[in-house]
Amino acid sequence: MPKKGRVFSGARPTGKQHLGNYLGAIRNYVALQDDYDCVYCIVDVHALTTVDTTQDLKQNTVEMALDWLAAGIRPEETILFIQSHVPEVMELHTYLSMVTQMGKLTDLPTFKEKLAQQPENANYGLLGYPVLMTADIVLYKSDIVPVGIDQAPHLEFAREIVRSFNYRYNTKVLIEPQVKHTEVLKVLGIDGKAKMSKSLNNHIELAATPEETTARVREMVTDPARVKRTDPGNPDICNVFSMHKIFSPQDEVDMINVECRRAGIGCVDCKMRFAANLNKHLELFRAERAELASKPDYVTDVLNDGASRARVIAQQTMKEVREAMALP
Ligand code: AMP
Ligand code: TRP
């Protein structure tokens, strides 16, 4: 079947992936492969803008790639690669920076947030972050970019840069990408309050053992108004119930929905049921991950192969870009 176009997305190498990554991104990346030619990039250069993520860059890249592959990214068809392995993106970033107005970069809320988070490291890369992201997208002539809603301003910005470039050089070589927002799904952490994230240590890792997963689920915060076992609970505001709706069979969800409200089922029992269903759901993924991890060089080979296929597209685009710019 001919594919509908090219999808590109990037993610920083954050190491072992958690349920938030899975439900908010990976699951969607996997599904898109059926209809599109997909290019997925591990953006190690972007990661260099924040010091805390650079320490275990290599290890984090391998762990993340393993999770993606075990979850169903098919490297024979999809291009999975590391950003810095295709250095053409750095060149394109520089050219694009000349058609990007500085005031617009400094105005971006994401830039201001980053500066506030790390005032001691206000590096130039942070300012250029969206320009490099634009270079990622247009280098591969991507039609569609699936990202979370938080990246919407960056995508709008990318479209503007493309328009400026094409106008300045009177060309059509760069394609304005379309955004495809992933289902608005914010997975909460085990604290039941904040977005699940590694940095808050409120996450549940996909690759953890069943025992570790159960221990983590046991810590999950339920309806805070339900203090005693005999108090009725409210599933509508309980994060454990939200998870049941994703991972448990419908009859069990219906049962909990009724029993929780009349204190027929306790929170511990409810959480243990969720842990069991989650572990079952992840069984195949974990077996596949262990299998892939046991093959020496498997991930490195996949990433190298991805980079060579990505480079073919990148070199062609750069040839067209340099021509359009009439560089001497
Ligand atoms: P990050 O690890 O924050 O760079 O995120 C990588 C991808 O996973 C992005 O597409 C995020 O939108 C998604 N993601 C991360 N955490 C969550 C979460 N708690 N809920 C939903 N999506 C998430
Ligand atoms: N900026 C994105 C993030 O922080 C990661 C990213 C880099 C990206 N390049 C991209 C996403 C290109 C989509 C397309 O999550």
Side-chain angles (χ1 to χ4, degrees), residues 38 51 61 162 194 224 229 257-258 274:
C38 296
V51 276
T61 298
V162 168
R229 167 69 180 81
N257 196 11
V258 172
F274 165 54

Side-chain angles (χ1 to χ4, degrees), residues 11-12 14 17-18 20-25 29 147-148 150 182 185-188 195-197:
R12 279 168 295 157
T14 48
Q17 303 286 279
H18 54 68
N21 300 130
Y22 174 64
L23 298 170
Y29 294 169
V147 282
D150 59 315
T182 34
L185 184 84
K186 182 168 137 188
V187 181
L188 297 182
K195 188 172 154 175
M196 183 177 285
S197 92

Side-chain angles (χ1 to χ4, degrees), residues 81-277:
F81 77 107
I82 298 175
Q83 188 181 31
S84 67
H85 288 190
V86 186
E88 279 79 1
V89 76
M90 269 55 107
E91 182 187 352
L92 185 54
H93 161 266
T94 303
Y95 298 153
L96 294 181
S97 74
M98 313 302 174
V99 295
T100 305
Q101 296 310 306
M102 206 150 80
K104 293 205 170 149
L105 287 173
T106 48
D107 275 352
L108 276 173
T110 41
F111 173 65
K112 291 182 188 158
E113 274 162 33
K114 275 287 173 218
L115 275 195
Q117 276 167 18
Q118 51 180 63
E120 74 298 341
N121 184 18
N123 66 77
Y124 169 71
L126 281 178
L127 188 67
Y129 191 105
V131 186
L132 182 58
M133 182 164 158
T134 305
D136 279 330
I137 296 167
V138 297
L139 186 57
Y140 300 100
K141 304 221 167 156
S142 318
D143 304 298
I144 291 182
V145 183
V147 282
I149 201 86
D150 59 315
Q151 294 293 317
H154 285 165
L155 256 293
E156 200 37 60
F157 200 68
R159 292 162 58 84
E160 246 179 73
I161 296 178
V162 168
R163 287 196 293 268
S164 306
F165 182 93
N166 285 348
Y167 180 76
R168 161 92 66 98
Y169 296 106
N170 191 21
T171 173
K172 290 195 172 90
V173 290
L174 301 187
I175 299 176
E176 258 187 71
Q178 306 295 320
V179 197
K180 186 178 167 85
H181 286 308
T182 34
E183 201 183 325
V184 189
L185 184 84
K186 182 168 137 188
V187 181
L188 297 182
I190 58 170
D191 52 15
K193 282 201 210 91
K195 188 172 154 175
M196 183 177 285
S197 92
K198 204 169 181 163
S199 53
L200 295 175
N201 192 21
N202 64 358
H203 60 304
I204 298 179
E205 264 173 24
L206 301 175
T209 63
E211 295 72 31
E212 286 163 349
T213 305
T214 305
R216 211 60 179 147
V217 170
R218 199 188 297 272
E219 290 175 58
M220 284 179 80
V221 173
T222 53
D223 172 4
R226 191 177 183 191
V227 182
K228 295 196 296 287
R229 167 69 180 81
T230 47
D231 293 339
N234 181 4
D236 301 334
I237 56 156
C238 178
N239 189 31
V240 176
F241 186 65
S242 315
M243 292 291 191
H244 267 296
K245 285 197 273 189
I246 301 171
F247 292 103
S248 301
Q250 191 56 46
D251 54 347
E252 199 170 348
V253 174
D254 294 341
M255 181 278 287
I256 292 166
N257 196 11
V258 172
E259 294 302 327
C260 171
R261 290 177 206 274
R262 60 176 190 210
I265 179 173
C267 291
V268 176
D269 185 11
C270 181
K271 288 196 264 189
M272 289 308 99
R273 283 168 175 271
F274 165 54
N277 292 334

